[in-house]
Amino acid sequence: ARQPVTTVDWEKIVRQITDDYRLLSSNETATWTAMGGPEQFLRDLAAKPPKRYALTGSFSSIETVIVTAPTAAVVYTDDPERLAKDYRLRPTRTGGNVITAVPYDPIVYERTRTIDGIEHASITQVLVDCLTGMQRMPSEGEALLKWMKQNEQRWRFNTLD
């Protein structure tokens, strides 16, 4: 007979997820330029949030650990065209400072955290996205992983309920 789950090697599970998942290729992504920069875009999000979205990546990880100044805001949304229109984003192929991602699974909207009026993906989602992201994001993911190991009581649930 099966026994109840009593412990979980969450780091191993995260590493296994990153074998198959990639932030930019597992989700439908588009690159945009926010004319006022990503910081202004985030202030606009906080002032007038869209229906369903979640910030992830570098701008979300810096709420916990800082490796370097982030350059691109990554936002999960079901309607990137609407988000772009509402926040005056311009499409670009290179050099954008906002990336929209239509999630392959709606789990990215679960266990979100609101920080300074902005809805952030769960810390574990941000971790996976950073570890599999572009540029400096994997380094940010490793720093976030280190923080998570040292601070499990601050982010991890005690039960599976």
Side-chain angles (χ1 to χ4, degrees), residues 109-158:
Y109 300 120
E110 294 182 18
R111 297 190 175 170
T112 58
R113 310 161 288 142
T114 303
I115 303 169
D116 296 330
I118 297 174
E119 204 70 20
H120 290 251
S122 71
I123 196 161
T124 51
Q125 184 68 50
V126 173
L127 172 62
V128 169
D129 289 338
C130 283
L131 288 172
T132 63
M134 73 285 189
Q135 299 169 344
R136 301 178 206 130
M137 288 176 71
S139 296
E140 294 162 342
E142 292 296 337
L144 184 56
L145 179 66
K146 182 178 177 182
W147 180 90
M148 290 171 73
K149 284 190 217 178
Q150 295 170 347
N151 296 279
E152 279 191 57
Q153 72 286 354
R154 291 182 62 190
W155 67 270
R156 191 170 173 196
F157 291 105
N158 292 327

Side-chain angles (χ1 to χ4, degrees), residues 82-115:
R82 165 58 60 203
L83 189 100
K85 181 179 179 205
D86 290 349
Y87 297 95
R88 300 170 315 280
L89 304 176
R90 296 178 186 240
T92 185
R93 291 187 181 172
T94 60
N97 54 23
V98 174
I99 297 170
T100 56
V102 177
Y104 81 98
D105 189 293
I107 196 167
V108 301
Y109 300 120
E110 294 182 18
R111 297 190 175 170
T112 58
R113 310 161 288 142
T114 303
I115 303 169

